[in-house]
Amino acid sequence: MAAINRAENVLLNFQTSPQAEEALIIMRDSYNKLGMDDKAADIQRILDANKNRGSYDTYLRAQEFEAAKATAAPKDGAAVK
């Protein structure tokens, strides 16, 4: 979870940096290792949508990801972090 949190921090604070794509990859791989296949698939969709795009588009996709995450209801009633 620590790697996911650090990667989210990159996406929130450094969206236009070249490391944004790497942060998404770290998140995807971490979710896969945790068995959170639905979240890993969401991240993969973001990566696929951002192929051959500039960093501003990466920023916009990160904003869409955060908005989707904020509206997603936890399955077990736990708070989303």
Side-chain angles (χ1 to χ4, degrees), residues 10-62:
V10 170
L11 293 176
L12 291 173
N13 296 302
F14 307 100
Q15 301 95 339
T16 59
S17 75
Q19 287 72 29
E21 182 178 9
E22 185 177 351
L24 288 167
I25 292 168
I26 289 169
M27 289 176 71
R28 181 201 59 205
D29 294 346
S30 297
Y31 283 133
N32 276 328
K33 287 179 183 178
L34 291 170
M36 301 173 77
D37 299 330
D38 55 336
K39 295 237 184 223
D42 290 343
I43 299 297
Q44 186 60 52
R45 280 192 286 277
I46 293 168
L47 286 165
D48 291 343
N50 283 296
K51 284 184 182 176
N52 301 318
R53 292 178 180 244
S55 55
Y56 181 70
D57 287 338
T58 301
Y59 165 76
L60 293 176
R61 296 293 179 196

Side-chain angles (χ1 to χ4, degrees), residues 62-78:
Q63 293 298 315
E64 291 173 4
F65 169 75
E66 286 303 313
K69 188 174 103 176
T71 59
K75 291 181 182 177
D76 60 357

